[in-house]
PDB file of all heavy atoms in Angstrom:
ATOM      1  N   PHE A 155      21.765  16.404 -22.747  1.00 98.00           N
ATOM      2  CA  PHE A 155      21.816  15.063 -23.344  1.00 98.00           C
ATOM      3  C   PHE A 155      20.413  14.588 -23.689  1.00 98.00           C
ATOM      4  O   PHE A 155      19.406  15.094 -23.168  1.00 98.00           O
ATOM      5  CB  PHE A 155      22.468  14.075 -22.364  1.00 98.00           C
ATOM      6  CG  PHE A 155      21.818  14.054 -21.010  1.00 98.00           C
ATOM      7  CD1 PHE A 155      20.688  13.290 -20.750  1.00 98.00           C
ATOM      8  CD2 PHE A 155      22.322  14.836 -19.981  1.00 98.00           C
ATOM      9  CE1 PHE A 155      20.077  13.296 -19.516  1.00 98.00           C
ATOM     10  CE2 PHE A 155      21.718  14.841 -18.721  1.00 98.00           C
ATOM     11  CZ  PHE A 155      20.593  14.075 -18.497  1.00 98.00           C
ATOM     12  N   HIS A 156      20.373  13.608 -24.589  1.00 98.00           N
ATOM     13  CA  HIS A 156      19.153  12.873 -24.895  1.00 98.00           C
ATOM     14  C   HIS A 156      19.391  11.415 -24.491  1.00 98.00           C
ATOM     15  O   HIS A 156      20.412  10.823 -24.861  1.00 98.00           O
ATOM     16  CB  HIS A 156      18.823  12.932 -26.384  1.00 98.00           C
ATOM     17  CG  HIS A 156      18.364  14.274 -26.848  1.00 98.00           C
ATOM     18  ND1 HIS A 156      17.651  14.460 -28.009  1.00 98.00           N
ATOM     19  CD2 HIS A 156      18.499  15.511 -26.304  1.00 98.00           C
ATOM     20  CE1 HIS A 156      17.381  15.737 -28.177  1.00 98.00           C
ATOM     21  NE2 HIS A 156      17.892  16.393 -27.152  1.00 98.00           N
ATOM     22  N   LEU A 157      18.447  10.844 -23.752  1.00 98.00           N
ATOM     23  CA  LEU A 157      18.518   9.439 -23.370  1.00 98.00           C
ATOM     24  C   LEU A 157      17.458   8.669 -24.153  1.00 98.00           C
ATOM     25  O   LEU A 157      16.255   8.805 -23.873  1.00 98.00           O
ATOM     26  CB  LEU A 157      18.252   9.269 -21.871  1.00 98.00           C
ATOM     27  CG  LEU A 157      19.332   9.723 -20.897  1.00 98.00           C
ATOM     28  CD1 LEU A 157      18.798   9.629 -19.465  1.00 98.00           C
ATOM     29  CD2 LEU A 157      20.588   8.876 -21.041  1.00 98.00           C
ATOM     30  N   PRO A 158      17.843   7.880 -25.139  1.00 98.00           N
ATOM     31  CA  PRO A 158      16.841   7.115 -25.890  1.00 98.00           C
ATOM     32  C   PRO A 158      16.162   6.085 -24.990  1.00 98.00           C
ATOM     33  O   PRO A 158      16.817   5.417 -24.183  1.00 98.00           O
ATOM     34  CB  PRO A 158      17.658   6.443 -26.996  1.00 98.00           C
ATOM     35  CG  PRO A 158      19.062   6.420 -26.487  1.00 98.00           C
ATOM     36  CD  PRO A 158      19.216   7.626 -25.617  1.00 98.00           C
ATOM     37  N   ILE A 159      14.850   5.990 -25.107  1.00 98.00           N
ATOM     38  CA  ILE A 159      14.089   5.066 -24.263  1.00 98.00           C
ATOM     39  C   ILE A 159      14.107   3.678 -24.888  1.00 98.00           C
ATOM     40  O   ILE A 159      13.609   3.477 -26.001  1.00 98.00           O
ATOM     41  CB  ILE A 159      12.634   5.554 -24.095  1.00 98.00           C
ATOM     42  CG1 ILE A 159      12.610   6.907 -23.385  1.00 98.00           C
ATOM     43  CG2 ILE A 159      11.803   4.526 -23.331  1.00 98.00           C
ATOM     44  CD1 ILE A 159      11.231   7.546 -23.330  1.00 98.00           C
ATOM     45  N   GLU A 160      14.678   2.725 -24.167  1.00 97.00           N
ATOM     46  CA  GLU A 160      14.666   1.334 -24.624  1.00 97.00           C
ATOM     47  C   GLU A 160      13.479   0.569 -24.060  1.00 97.00           C
ATOM     48  O   GLU A 160      12.891  -0.282 -24.728  1.00 97.00           O
ATOM     49  CB  GLU A 160      15.971   0.630 -24.225  1.00 97.00           C
ATOM     50  CG  GLU A 160      17.182   1.069 -25.022  1.00 97.00           C
ATOM     51  CD  GLU A 160      18.371   0.154 -24.800  1.00 97.00           C
ATOM     52  OE1 GLU A 160      18.344  -0.669 -23.846  1.00 97.00           O
ATOM     53  OE2 GLU A 160      19.336   0.261 -25.586  1.00 97.00           O
ATOM     54  N   ARG A 161      13.128   0.876 -22.812  1.00 96.00           N
ATOM     55  CA  ARG A 161      12.058   0.119 -22.166  1.00 96.00           C
ATOM     56  C   ARG A 161      11.474   0.925 -21.013  1.00 96.00           C
ATOM     57  O   ARG A 161      12.205   1.632 -20.313  1.00 96.00           O
ATOM     58  CB  ARG A 161      12.608  -1.216 -21.641  1.00 96.00           C
ATOM     59  CG  ARG A 161      11.552  -2.147 -21.067  1.00 96.00           C
ATOM     60  CD  ARG A 161      12.141  -3.513 -20.755  1.00 96.00           C
ATOM     61  NE  ARG A 161      12.936  -3.549 -19.524  1.00 96.00           N
ATOM     62  CZ  ARG A 161      14.256  -3.631 -19.483  1.00 96.00           C
ATOM     63  NH1 ARG A 161      14.956  -3.670 -20.600  1.00 96.00           N
ATOM     64  NH2 ARG A 161      14.895  -3.673 -18.321  1.00 96.00           N
ATOM     65  N   LEU A 162      10.164   0.833 -20.834  1.00 96.00           N
ATOM     66  CA  LEU A 162       9.498   1.419 -19.679  1.00 96.00           C
ATOM     67  C   LEU A 162       9.021   0.300 -18.766  1.00 96.00           C
ATOM     68  O   LEU A 162       8.400  -0.665 -19.224  1.00 96.00           O
ATOM     69  CB  LEU A 162       8.283   2.257 -20.102  1.00 96.00           C
ATOM     70  CG  LEU A 162       8.503   3.533 -20.894  1.00 96.00           C
ATOM     71  CD1 LEU A 162       7.163   4.210 -21.139  1.00 96.00           C
ATOM     72  CD2 LEU A 162       9.431   4.473 -20.174  1.00 96.00           C
ATOM     73  N   GLU A 163       9.306   0.442 -17.483  1.00 97.00           N
ATOM     74  CA  GLU A 163       8.781  -0.472 -16.473  1.00 97.00           C
ATOM     75  C   GLU A 163       7.856   0.355 -15.576  1.00 97.00           C
ATOM     76  O   GLU A 163       8.309   1.258 -14.870  1.00 97.00           O
ATOM     77  CB  GLU A 163       9.925  -1.093 -15.663  1.00 97.00           C
ATOM     78  CG  GLU A 163      10.871  -1.906 -16.525  1.00 97.00           C
ATOM     79  CD  GLU A 163      12.069  -2.434 -15.745  1.00 97.00           C
ATOM     80  OE1 GLU A 163      12.382  -1.890 -14.671  1.00 97.00           O
ATOM     81  OE2 GLU A 163      12.686  -3.408 -16.225  1.00 97.00           O
ATOM     82  N   VAL A 164       6.573   0.060 -15.645  1.00 97.00           N
ATOM     83  CA  VAL A 164       5.564   0.878 -14.982  1.00 97.00           C
ATOM     84  C   VAL A 164       4.925   0.082 -13.852  1.00 97.00           C
ATOM     85  O   VAL A 164       4.367  -0.989 -14.079  1.00 97.00           O
ATOM     86  CB  VAL A 164       4.476   1.323 -15.983  1.00 97.00           C
ATOM     87  CG1 VAL A 164       3.483   2.269 -15.317  1.00 97.00           C
ATOM     88  CG2 VAL A 164       5.111   1.967 -17.213  1.00 97.00           C
ATOM     89  N   LYS A 165       5.024   0.623 -12.641  1.00 97.00           N
ATOM     90  CA  LYS A 165       4.419  -0.029 -11.479  1.00 97.00           C
ATOM     91  C   LYS A 165       3.378   0.893 -10.867  1.00 97.00           C
ATOM     92  O   LYS A 165       3.687   1.998 -10.432  1.00 97.00           O
ATOM     93  CB  LYS A 165       5.483  -0.390 -10.435  1.00 97.00           C
ATOM     94  CG  LYS A 165       4.920  -1.198  -9.257  1.00 97.00           C
ATOM     95  CD  LYS A 165       6.032  -1.742  -8.380  1.00 97.00           C
ATOM     96  CE  LYS A 165       5.487  -2.645  -7.281  1.00 97.00           C
ATOM     97  NZ  LYS A 165       6.562  -3.236  -6.451  1.00 97.00           N
ATOM     98  N   LEU A 166       2.133   0.427 -10.845  1.00 96.00           N
ATOM     99  CA  LEU A 166       1.034   1.142 -10.211  1.00 96.00           C
ATOM    100  C   LEU A 166       0.517   0.283  -9.072  1.00 96.00           C
ATOM    101  O   LEU A 166      -0.250  -0.655  -9.280  1.00 96.00           O
ATOM    102  CB  LEU A 166      -0.091   1.407 -11.213  1.00 96.00           C
ATOM    103  CG  LEU A 166       0.243   2.222 -12.453  1.00 96.00           C
ATOM    104  CD1 LEU A 166      -0.964   2.313 -13.368  1.00 96.00           C
ATOM    105  CD2 LEU A 166       0.721   3.611 -12.069  1.00 96.00           C
ATOM    106  N   LYS A 167       0.957   0.574  -7.870  1.00 96.00           N
ATOM    107  CA  LYS A 167       0.503  -0.168  -6.696  1.00 96.00           C
ATOM    108  C   LYS A 167      -0.604   0.652  -6.052  1.00 96.00           C
ATOM    109  O   LYS A 167      -0.358   1.516  -5.215  1.00 96.00           O
ATOM    110  CB  LYS A 167       1.658  -0.408  -5.724  1.00 96.00           C
ATOM    111  CG  LYS A 167       1.277  -1.250  -4.514  1.00 96.00           C
ATOM    112  CD  LYS A 167       2.463  -1.449  -3.588  1.00 96.00           C
ATOM    113  CE  LYS A 167       2.073  -2.269  -2.367  1.00 96.00           C
ATOM    114  NZ  LYS A 167       1.077  -1.565  -1.517  1.00 96.00           N
TER     115      LYS A 167
END
Side-chain angles (χ1 to χ4, degrees):
F155 54 84
H156 289 200
L157 288 173
I159 297 173
E160 288 192 347
R161 186 172 77 253
L162 293 182
E163 299 176 340
V164 185
K165 186 170 185 177
L166 301 177
K167 184 180 179 295

